[in-house]
Amino acid sequence: MWTVRASPQPGGAQTGPNPTDRGRPGSKRHVIVDGCGTPLAVLISPANRHDSMLFEPLLNAVPPIHNGLRGRPRSRPERLHADKAYDIPRCRRACHQRGIKVRIARRGRESSERLGRHRWVVERTLAWFSRFRRLRVRYEVRADIHLAFTQLACCLITFKQHLRLLR
């Protein structure tokens, strides 16, 4: 007699076959950062899901921005720079509906070097996430625990940047 054990998918529910890593289960971090690299919003998705699928939920996750002036805080950032993965009419429409000026590189027309001035800020923030050993390799099976550790890393990155600005 054989018994079949119902075990969860390795890595949890928010993992999928990573196309760049020979199909091993993996996940992606989707991050919106400000001009200094401070994370404003972060979401986790399976590695095999297209980046543009979480574009609108990521825009909705950005908290109101307090700029130190009187009155109601801005509810959205002024401008958004994105790479070629987001060159889809749905993503552009989502930005225009929220009143955000968008600068998305066009596929097949522009080289990725022009966005390099803004892209390195995001890449640097993603490298800061890799400094946390718990996030470098995903050990958690549950997606909510992995998201909690990622959000804790966002808090620590923001705190360290705040300390750097106070010097």
Side-chain angles (χ1 to χ4, degrees):
M1 174 176 256
W2 296 93
T3 58
V4 177
R5 193 181 333 185
S7 63
Q9 179 181 357
Q14 287 291 325
T15 60
N18 190 347
T20 61
D21 197 16
R22 294 180 284 162
R24 291 192 177 123
S27 58
K28 288 187 207 175
R29 281 183 215 99
H30 301 270
V31 184
I32 290 184
V33 299
D34 66 356
C36 298
T38 306
L40 299 176
V42 65
L43 292 177
I44 305 291
S45 74
N48 61 344
R49 198 162 179 201
H50 196 266
D51 293 342
S52 66
M53 300 303 290
L54 284 180
F55 188 73
E56 288 186 62
L58 197 60
L59 284 178
N60 293 334
V62 175
I65 298 171
H66 298 277
N67 56 4
L69 301 176
R70 289 185 184 183
R72 200 174 92 213
R74 274 189 63 82
S75 59
R76 303 278 181 226
E78 238 178 78
R79 226 171 323 179
L80 180 95
H81 295 271
D83 60 1
K84 294 179 184 183
Y86 301 101
D87 186 24
I88 297 173
R90 177 174 37 90
C91 296
R92 291 183 185 275
R93 224 178 4 257
C95 286
H96 290 298
Q97 288 172 351
R98 290 166 176 79
I100 300 172
K101 296 176 187 169
V102 65
R103 172 71 179 98
I104 299 177
R106 299 206 178 260
R107 283 182 279 160
R109 293 187 195 164
E110 300 176 16
S111 70
S112 52
E113 292 175 5
R114 289 189 64 195
L115 268 175
R117 296 178 290 211
H118 308 286
R119 181 67 187 163
W120 75 271
V121 177
V122 180
E123 293 295 336
R124 180 184 64 181
T125 305
L126 291 173
W128 288 342
F129 280 111
S130 297
R131 289 189 313 193
F132 299 98
R133 193 173 58 149
R134 186 85 181 220
L135 296 178
R136 193 175 302 145
V137 176
R138 181 175 170 173
Y139 296 107
E140 288 79 24
V141 173
R142 290 179 42 193
D144 58 340
I145 294 175
H146 184 66
L147 181 62
F149 278 120
T150 305
Q151 290 174 339
L152 181 62
C154 286
C155 293
L156 291 173
I157 290 170
T158 305
F159 179 69
K160 287 180 182 179
Q161 283 202 330
H162 182 69
L163 288 179
R164 193 176 301 130
L165 288 174
L166 289 177
R167 287 186 199 168

PDB file of all heavy atoms in Angstrom, residues 110-137:
ATOM      1  N   GLU A 110      14.013  52.443 -28.324  1.00  0.00           N
ATOM      2  CA  GLU A 110      15.003  53.116 -27.495  1.00  0.00           C
ATOM      3  C   GLU A 110      15.943  52.102 -26.869  1.00  0.00           C
ATOM      4  O   GLU A 110      15.537  50.999 -26.524  1.00  0.00           O
ATOM      5  CB  GLU A 110      14.307  53.905 -26.381  1.00  0.00           C
ATOM      6  CG  GLU A 110      13.372  54.962 -26.897  1.00  0.00           C
ATOM      7  CD  GLU A 110      12.626  55.646 -25.773  1.00  0.00           C
ATOM      8  OE1 GLU A 110      13.052  55.518 -24.622  1.00  0.00           O
ATOM      9  OE2 GLU A 110      11.623  56.294 -26.067  1.00  0.00           O
ATOM     10  N   SER A 111      17.182  52.516 -26.696  1.00  0.00           N
ATOM     11  CA  SER A 111      18.119  51.647 -25.992  1.00  0.00           C
ATOM     12  C   SER A 111      17.885  51.800 -24.497  1.00  0.00           C
ATOM     13  O   SER A 111      17.369  52.815 -24.032  1.00  0.00           O
ATOM     14  CB  SER A 111      19.562  52.007 -26.339  1.00  0.00           C
ATOM     15  OG  SER A 111      19.895  53.246 -25.769  1.00  0.00           O
ATOM     16  N   SER A 112      18.294  50.816 -23.750  1.00  0.00           N
ATOM     17  CA  SER A 112      18.085  50.864 -22.304  1.00  0.00           C
ATOM     18  C   SER A 112      19.102  51.765 -21.620  1.00  0.00           C
ATOM     19  O   SER A 112      19.027  51.973 -20.417  1.00  0.00           O
ATOM     20  CB  SER A 112      18.146  49.456 -21.728  1.00  0.00           C
ATOM     21  OG  SER A 112      19.318  48.815 -22.150  1.00  0.00           O
ATOM     22  N   GLU A 113      20.037  52.334 -22.367  1.00  0.00           N
ATOM     23  CA  GLU A 113      21.042  53.196 -21.756  1.00  0.00           C
ATOM     24  C   GLU A 113      20.446  54.530 -21.310  1.00  0.00           C
ATOM     25  O   GLU A 113      20.927  55.132 -20.356  1.00  0.00           O
ATOM     26  CB  GLU A 113      22.177  53.455 -22.745  1.00  0.00           C
ATOM     27  CG  GLU A 113      22.991  52.219 -23.046  1.00  0.00           C
ATOM     28  CD  GLU A 113      24.026  52.470 -24.121  1.00  0.00           C
ATOM     29  OE1 GLU A 113      24.170  53.632 -24.555  1.00  0.00           O
ATOM     30  OE2 GLU A 113      24.674  51.510 -24.526  1.00  0.00           O
ATOM     31  N   ARG A 114      19.403  55.006 -21.983  1.00  0.00           N
ATOM     32  CA  ARG A 114      18.832  56.300 -21.623  1.00  0.00           C
ATOM     33  C   ARG A 114      18.162  56.264 -20.261  1.00  0.00           C
ATOM     34  O   ARG A 114      18.148  57.253 -19.545  1.00  0.00           O
ATOM     35  CB  ARG A 114      17.818  56.737 -22.676  1.00  0.00           C
ATOM     36  CG  ARG A 114      18.499  57.117 -23.975  1.00  0.00           C
ATOM     37  CD  ARG A 114      17.562  57.752 -24.928  1.00  0.00           C
ATOM     38  NE  ARG A 114      17.071  59.023 -24.392  1.00  0.00           N
ATOM     39  CZ  ARG A 114      16.036  59.661 -24.877  1.00  0.00           C
ATOM     40  NH1 ARG A 114      15.377  59.168 -25.893  1.00  0.00           N
ATOM     41  NH2 ARG A 114      15.637  60.796 -24.353  1.00  0.00           N
ATOM     42  N   LEU A 115      17.589  55.120 -19.892  1.00  0.00           N
ATOM     43  CA  LEU A 115      16.963  55.005 -18.581  1.00  0.00           C
ATOM     44  C   LEU A 115      17.984  54.649 -17.507  1.00  0.00           C
ATOM     45  O   LEU A 115      17.629  54.556 -16.341  1.00  0.00           O
ATOM     46  CB  LEU A 115      15.866  53.944 -18.602  1.00  0.00           C
ATOM     47  CG  LEU A 115      14.477  54.445 -18.926  1.00  0.00           C
ATOM     48  CD1 LEU A 115      13.517  53.293 -19.021  1.00  0.00           C
ATOM     49  CD2 LEU A 115      13.993  55.439 -17.919  1.00  0.00           C
ATOM     50  N   GLY A 116      19.227  54.451 -17.870  1.00  0.00           N
ATOM     51  CA  GLY A 116      20.251  54.053 -16.912  1.00  0.00           C
ATOM     52  C   GLY A 116      20.440  55.040 -15.784  1.00  0.00           C
ATOM     53  O   GLY A 116      20.786  54.658 -14.671  1.00  0.00           O
ATOM     54  N   ARG A 117      20.200  56.323 -16.054  1.00  0.00           N
ATOM     55  CA  ARG A 117      20.330  57.335 -15.005  1.00  0.00           C
ATOM     56  C   ARG A 117      19.363  57.081 -13.867  1.00  0.00           C
ATOM     57  O   ARG A 117      19.653  57.383 -12.715  1.00  0.00           O
ATOM     58  CB  ARG A 117      20.047  58.720 -15.576  1.00  0.00           C
ATOM     59  CG  ARG A 117      21.025  59.160 -16.605  1.00  0.00           C
ATOM     60  CD  ARG A 117      20.597  60.502 -17.112  1.00  0.00           C
ATOM     61  NE  ARG A 117      19.361  60.341 -17.904  1.00  0.00           N
ATOM     62  CZ  ARG A 117      19.036  61.088 -18.921  1.00  0.00           C
ATOM     63  NH1 ARG A 117      19.814  62.081 -19.259  1.00  0.00           N
ATOM     64  NH2 ARG A 117      17.940  60.883 -19.594  1.00  0.00           N
ATOM     65  N   HIS A 118      18.188  56.555 -14.179  1.00  0.00           N
ATOM     66  CA  HIS A 118      17.167  56.325 -13.167  1.00  0.00           C
ATOM     67  C   HIS A 118      17.135  54.862 -12.733  1.00  0.00           C
ATOM     68  O   HIS A 118      16.759  54.570 -11.612  1.00  0.00           O
ATOM     69  CB  HIS A 118      15.794  56.730 -13.707  1.00  0.00           C
ATOM     70  CG  HIS A 118      15.781  58.115 -14.264  1.00  0.00           C
ATOM     71  ND1 HIS A 118      15.808  59.229 -13.460  1.00  0.00           N
ATOM     72  CD2 HIS A 118      15.777  58.569 -15.537  1.00  0.00           C
ATOM     73  CE1 HIS A 118      15.802  60.312 -14.211  1.00  0.00           C
ATOM     74  NE2 HIS A 118      15.776  59.940 -15.475  1.00  0.00           N
ATOM     75  N   ARG A 119      17.519  53.966 -13.622  1.00  0.00           N
ATOM     76  CA  ARG A 119      17.429  52.544 -13.334  1.00  0.00           C
ATOM     77  C   ARG A 119      18.424  52.103 -12.264  1.00  0.00           C
ATOM     78  O   ARG A 119      18.138  51.214 -11.485  1.00  0.00           O
ATOM     79  CB  ARG A 119      17.665  51.764 -14.638  1.00  0.00           C
ATOM     80  CG  ARG A 119      17.580  50.288 -14.519  1.00  0.00           C
ATOM     81  CD  ARG A 119      16.180  49.850 -14.210  1.00  0.00           C
ATOM     82  NE  ARG A 119      16.168  48.432 -13.941  1.00  0.00           N
ATOM     83  CZ  ARG A 119      15.185  47.820 -13.346  1.00  0.00           C
ATOM     84  NH1 ARG A 119      14.120  48.477 -12.986  1.00  0.00           N
ATOM     85  NH2 ARG A 119      15.236  46.538 -13.108  1.00  0.00           N
ATOM     86  N   TRP A 120      19.596  52.744 -12.182  1.00  0.00           N
ATOM     87  CA  TRP A 120      20.593  52.304 -11.220  1.00  0.00           C
ATOM     88  C   TRP A 120      20.120  52.512  -9.792  1.00  0.00           C
ATOM     89  O   TRP A 120      20.533  51.790  -8.882  1.00  0.00           O
ATOM     90  CB  TRP A 120      21.931  53.007 -11.456  1.00  0.00           C
ATOM     91  CG  TRP A 120      21.964  54.434 -11.015  1.00  0.00           C
ATOM     92  CD1 TRP A 120      21.634  55.532 -11.747  1.00  0.00           C
ATOM     93  CD2 TRP A 120      22.329  54.916  -9.722  1.00  0.00           C
ATOM     94  NE1 TRP A 120      21.774  56.666 -10.993  1.00  0.00           N
ATOM     95  CE2 TRP A 120      22.210  56.322  -9.734  1.00  0.00           C
ATOM     96  CE3 TRP A 120      22.752  54.295  -8.556  1.00  0.00           C
ATOM     97  CZ2 TRP A 120      22.482  57.108  -8.632  1.00  0.00           C
ATOM     98  CZ3 TRP A 120      23.031  55.094  -7.463  1.00  0.00           C
ATOM     99  CH2 TRP A 120      22.895  56.480  -7.502  1.00  0.00           C
ATOM    100  N   VAL A 121      19.213  53.465  -9.568  1.00  0.00           N
ATOM    101  CA  VAL A 121      18.686  53.690  -8.223  1.00  0.00           C
ATOM    102  C   VAL A 121      17.886  52.468  -7.776  1.00  0.00           C
ATOM    103  O   VAL A 121      18.016  52.001  -6.641  1.00  0.00           O
ATOM    104  CB  VAL A 121      17.812  54.971  -8.193  1.00  0.00           C
ATOM    105  CG1 VAL A 121      17.207  55.189  -6.836  1.00  0.00           C
ATOM    106  CG2 VAL A 121      18.618  56.171  -8.627  1.00  0.00           C
ATOM    107  N   VAL A 122      17.080  51.924  -8.676  1.00  0.00           N
ATOM    108  CA  VAL A 122      16.292  50.737  -8.357  1.00  0.00           C
ATOM    109  C   VAL A 122      17.207  49.525  -8.185  1.00  0.00           C
ATOM    110  O   VAL A 122      17.027  48.721  -7.260  1.00  0.00           O
ATOM    111  CB  VAL A 122      15.234  50.478  -9.456  1.00  0.00           C
ATOM    112  CG1 VAL A 122      14.421  49.246  -9.137  1.00  0.00           C
ATOM    113  CG2 VAL A 122      14.341  51.675  -9.635  1.00  0.00           C
ATOM    114  N   GLU A 123      18.185  49.385  -9.069  1.00  0.00           N
ATOM    115  CA  GLU A 123      19.113  48.251  -8.966  1.00  0.00           C
ATOM    116  C   GLU A 123      19.891  48.297  -7.660  1.00  0.00           C
ATOM    117  O   GLU A 123      20.154  47.266  -7.048  1.00  0.00           O
ATOM    118  CB  GLU A 123      20.076  48.250 -10.157  1.00  0.00           C
ATOM    119  CG  GLU A 123      19.413  47.980 -11.485  1.00  0.00           C
ATOM    120  CD  GLU A 123      18.831  46.582 -11.580  1.00  0.00           C
ATOM    121  OE1 GLU A 123      19.288  45.677 -10.852  1.00  0.00           O
ATOM    122  OE2 GLU A 123      17.901  46.400 -12.379  1.00  0.00           O
ATOM    123  N   ARG A 124      20.266  49.503  -7.217  1.00  0.00           N
ATOM    124  CA  ARG A 124      20.980  49.634  -5.956  1.00  0.00           C
ATOM    125  C   ARG A 124      20.091  49.211  -4.793  1.00  0.00           C
ATOM    126  O   ARG A 124      20.530  48.514  -3.878  1.00  0.00           O
ATOM    127  CB  ARG A 124      21.440  51.073  -5.770  1.00  0.00           C
ATOM    128  CG  ARG A 124      22.203  51.302  -4.481  1.00  0.00           C
ATOM    129  CD  ARG A 124      22.542  52.737  -4.311  1.00  0.00           C
ATOM    130  NE  ARG A 124      21.319  53.521  -4.182  1.00  0.00           N
ATOM    131  CZ  ARG A 124      21.298  54.834  -4.040  1.00  0.00           C
ATOM    132  NH1 ARG A 124      22.426  55.516  -4.057  1.00  0.00           N
ATOM    133  NH2 ARG A 124      20.166  55.474  -3.913  1.00  0.00           N
ATOM    134  N   THR A 125      18.814  49.591  -4.831  1.00  0.00           N
ATOM    135  CA  THR A 125      17.892  49.200  -3.764  1.00  0.00           C
ATOM    136  C   THR A 125      17.691  47.689  -3.750  1.00  0.00           C
ATOM    137  O   THR A 125      17.651  47.069  -2.687  1.00  0.00           O
ATOM    138  CB  THR A 125      16.543  49.917  -3.937  1.00  0.00           C
ATOM    139  OG1 THR A 125      16.778  51.316  -3.990  1.00  0.00           O
ATOM    140  CG2 THR A 125      15.603  49.598  -2.806  1.00  0.00           C
ATOM    141  N   LEU A 126      17.580  47.076  -4.923  1.00  0.00           N
ATOM    142  CA  LEU A 126      17.461  45.618  -4.976  1.00  0.00           C
ATOM    143  C   LEU A 126      18.722  44.944  -4.441  1.00  0.00           C
ATOM    144  O   LEU A 126      18.653  43.883  -3.830  1.00  0.00           O
ATOM    145  CB  LEU A 126      17.171  45.167  -6.407  1.00  0.00           C
ATOM    146  CG  LEU A 126      15.785  45.541  -6.932  1.00  0.00           C
ATOM    147  CD1 LEU A 126      15.662  45.198  -8.404  1.00  0.00           C
ATOM    148  CD2 LEU A 126      14.697  44.860  -6.131  1.00  0.00           C
ATOM    149  N   ALA A 127      19.880  45.566  -4.641  1.00  0.00           N
ATOM    150  CA  ALA A 127      21.121  45.025  -4.075  1.00  0.00           C
ATOM    151  C   ALA A 127      21.118  45.162  -2.553  1.00  0.00           C
ATOM    152  O   ALA A 127      21.666  44.297  -1.853  1.00  0.00           O
ATOM    153  CB  ALA A 127      22.328  45.745  -4.668  1.00  0.00           C
ATOM    154  N   TRP A 128      20.509  46.220  -2.029  1.00  0.00           N
ATOM    155  CA  TRP A 128      20.404  46.370  -0.581  1.00  0.00           C
ATOM    156  C   TRP A 128      19.561  45.252   0.017  1.00  0.00           C
ATOM    157  O   TRP A 128      19.821  44.803   1.134  1.00  0.00           O
ATOM    158  CB  TRP A 128      19.809  47.719  -0.214  1.00  0.00           C
ATOM    159  CG  TRP A 128      20.724  48.877  -0.436  1.00  0.00           C
ATOM    160  CD1 TRP A 128      22.082  48.838  -0.582  1.00  0.00           C
ATOM    161  CD2 TRP A 128      20.354  50.239  -0.544  1.00  0.00           C
ATOM    162  NE1 TRP A 128      22.573  50.098  -0.776  1.00  0.00           N
ATOM    163  CE2 TRP A 128      21.537  50.983  -0.756  1.00  0.00           C
ATOM    164  CE3 TRP A 128      19.147  50.919  -0.492  1.00  0.00           C
ATOM    165  CZ2 TRP A 128      21.542  52.356  -0.899  1.00  0.00           C
ATOM    166  CZ3 TRP A 128      19.157  52.290  -0.639  1.00  0.00           C
ATOM    167  CH2 TRP A 128      20.331  53.002  -0.833  1.00  0.00           C
ATOM    168  N   PHE A 129      18.547  44.786  -0.715  1.00  0.00           N
ATOM    169  CA  PHE A 129      17.760  43.652  -0.232  1.00  0.00           C
ATOM    170  C   PHE A 129      18.630  42.397  -0.138  1.00  0.00           C
ATOM    171  O   PHE A 129      18.424  41.567   0.737  1.00  0.00           O
ATOM    172  CB  PHE A 129      16.573  43.371  -1.164  1.00  0.00           C
ATOM    173  CG  PHE A 129      15.399  44.267  -0.946  1.00  0.00           C
ATOM    174  CD1 PHE A 129      15.049  45.206  -1.891  1.00  0.00           C
ATOM    175  CD2 PHE A 129      14.631  44.170   0.192  1.00  0.00           C
ATOM    176  CE1 PHE A 129      13.964  46.032  -1.705  1.00  0.00           C
ATOM    177  CE2 PHE A 129      13.543  44.992   0.399  1.00  0.00           C
ATOM    178  CZ  PHE A 129      13.207  45.931  -0.557  1.00  0.00           C
ATOM    179  N   SER A 130      19.574  42.254  -1.025  1.00  0.00           N
ATOM    180  CA  SER A 130      20.428  41.067  -1.022  1.00  0.00           C
ATOM    181  C   SER A 130      21.394  41.053   0.151  1.00  0.00           C
ATOM    182  O   SER A 130      21.979  40.021   0.441  1.00  0.00           O
ATOM    183  CB  SER A 130      21.216  40.982  -2.329  1.00  0.00           C
ATOM    184  OG  SER A 130      20.333  40.832  -3.408  1.00  0.00           O
ATOM    185  N   ARG A 131      21.585  42.190   0.811  1.00  0.00           N
ATOM    186  CA  ARG A 131      22.442  42.203   1.986  1.00  0.00           C
ATOM    187  C   ARG A 131      21.824  41.441   3.146  1.00  0.00           C
ATOM    188  O   ARG A 131      22.528  41.020   4.052  1.00  0.00           O
ATOM    189  CB  ARG A 131      22.728  43.635   2.428  1.00  0.00           C
ATOM    190  CG  ARG A 131      23.631  44.369   1.503  1.00  0.00           C
ATOM    191  CD  ARG A 131      24.056  45.669   2.084  1.00  0.00           C
ATOM    192  NE  ARG A 131      22.923  46.415   2.635  1.00  0.00           N
ATOM    193  CZ  ARG A 131      22.972  47.676   2.989  1.00  0.00           C
ATOM    194  NH1 ARG A 131      24.082  48.347   2.841  1.00  0.00           N
ATOM    195  NH2 ARG A 131      21.914  48.283   3.477  1.00  0.00           N
ATOM    196  N   PHE A 132      20.518  41.286   3.121  1.00  0.00           N
ATOM    197  CA  PHE A 132      19.843  40.536   4.180  1.00  0.00           C
ATOM    198  C   PHE A 132      19.869  39.056   3.799  1.00  0.00           C
ATOM    199  O   PHE A 132      19.241  38.643   2.826  1.00  0.00           O
ATOM    200  CB  PHE A 132      18.400  41.034   4.358  1.00  0.00           C
ATOM    201  CG  PHE A 132      18.330  42.473   4.754  1.00  0.00           C
ATOM    202  CD1 PHE A 132      18.105  43.450   3.805  1.00  0.00           C
ATOM    203  CD2 PHE A 132      18.511  42.845   6.075  1.00  0.00           C
ATOM    204  CE1 PHE A 132      18.045  44.784   4.170  1.00  0.00           C
ATOM    205  CE2 PHE A 132      18.450  44.178   6.440  1.00  0.00           C
ATOM    206  CZ  PHE A 132      18.219  45.144   5.495  1.00  0.00           C
ATOM    207  N   ARG A 133      20.586  38.285   4.591  1.00  0.00           N
ATOM    208  CA  ARG A 133      20.826  36.891   4.237  1.00  0.00           C
ATOM    209  C   ARG A 133      19.529  36.097   4.134  1.00  0.00           C
ATOM    210  O   ARG A 133      19.406  35.190   3.332  1.00  0.00           O
ATOM    211  CB  ARG A 133      21.746  36.266   5.281  1.00  0.00           C
ATOM    212  CG  ARG A 133      22.302  34.940   4.877  1.00  0.00           C
ATOM    213  CD  ARG A 133      23.305  34.471   5.855  1.00  0.00           C
ATOM    214  NE  ARG A 133      22.709  34.386   7.177  1.00  0.00           N
ATOM    215  CZ  ARG A 133      23.078  33.511   8.085  1.00  0.00           C
ATOM    216  NH1 ARG A 133      24.032  32.666   7.834  1.00  0.00           N
ATOM    217  NH2 ARG A 133      22.500  33.490   9.259  1.00  0.00           N
ATOM    218  N   ARG A 134      18.564  36.452   4.931  1.00  0.00           N
ATOM    219  CA  ARG A 134      17.290  35.737   4.924  1.00  0.00           C
ATOM    220  C   ARG A 134      16.546  35.926   3.607  1.00  0.00           C
ATOM    221  O   ARG A 134      15.727  35.104   3.208  1.00  0.00           O
ATOM    222  CB  ARG A 134      16.442  36.245   6.083  1.00  0.00           C
ATOM    223  CG  ARG A 134      15.164  35.524   6.297  1.00  0.00           C
ATOM    224  CD  ARG A 134      15.412  34.313   7.126  1.00  0.00           C
ATOM    225  NE  ARG A 134      14.228  33.551   7.362  1.00  0.00           N
ATOM    226  CZ  ARG A 134      13.956  32.995   8.512  1.00  0.00           C
ATOM    227  NH1 ARG A 134      14.766  33.141   9.526  1.00  0.00           N
ATOM    228  NH2 ARG A 134      12.886  32.268   8.651  1.00  0.00           N
ATOM    229  N   LEU A 135      16.820  37.026   2.906  1.00  0.00           N
ATOM    230  CA  LEU A 135      16.124  37.318   1.656  1.00  0.00           C
ATOM    231  C   LEU A 135      16.909  36.905   0.423  1.00  0.00           C
ATOM    232  O   LEU A 135      16.363  36.861  -0.666  1.00  0.00           O
ATOM    233  CB  LEU A 135      15.818  38.824   1.568  1.00  0.00           C
ATOM    234  CG  LEU A 135      14.871  39.365   2.617  1.00  0.00           C
ATOM    235  CD1 LEU A 135      14.703  40.849   2.444  1.00  0.00           C
ATOM    236  CD2 LEU A 135      13.538  38.663   2.566  1.00  0.00           C
ATOM    237  N   ARG A 136      18.200  36.661   0.588  1.00  0.00           N
ATOM    238  CA  ARG A 136      19.019  36.287  -0.574  1.00  0.00           C
ATOM    239  C   ARG A 136      18.514  34.987  -1.185  1.00  0.00           C
ATOM    240  O   ARG A 136      18.381  34.861  -2.397  1.00  0.00           O
ATOM    241  CB  ARG A 136      20.476  36.154  -0.155  1.00  0.00           C
ATOM    242  CG  ARG A 136      21.398  36.075  -1.330  1.00  0.00           C
ATOM    243  CD  ARG A 136      22.844  36.071  -0.913  1.00  0.00           C
ATOM    244  NE  ARG A 136      23.148  37.275  -0.130  1.00  0.00           N
ATOM    245  CZ  ARG A 136      23.989  37.295   0.883  1.00  0.00           C
ATOM    246  NH1 ARG A 136      24.612  36.202   1.255  1.00  0.00           N
ATOM    247  NH2 ARG A 136      24.217  38.411   1.531  1.00  0.00           N
ATOM    248  N   VAL A 137      18.263  33.993  -0.347  1.00  0.00           N
ATOM    249  CA  VAL A 137      17.657  32.735  -0.780  1.00  0.00           C
ATOM    250  C   VAL A 137      16.356  32.603  -0.014  1.00  0.00           C
ATOM    251  O   VAL A 137      16.336  32.766   1.208  1.00  0.00           O
ATOM    252  CB  VAL A 137      18.589  31.533  -0.472  1.00  0.00           C
ATOM    253  CG1 VAL A 137      17.915  30.233  -0.834  1.00  0.00           C
ATOM    254  CG2 VAL A 137      19.896  31.681  -1.201  1.00  0.00           C
TER     255      VAL A 137
END
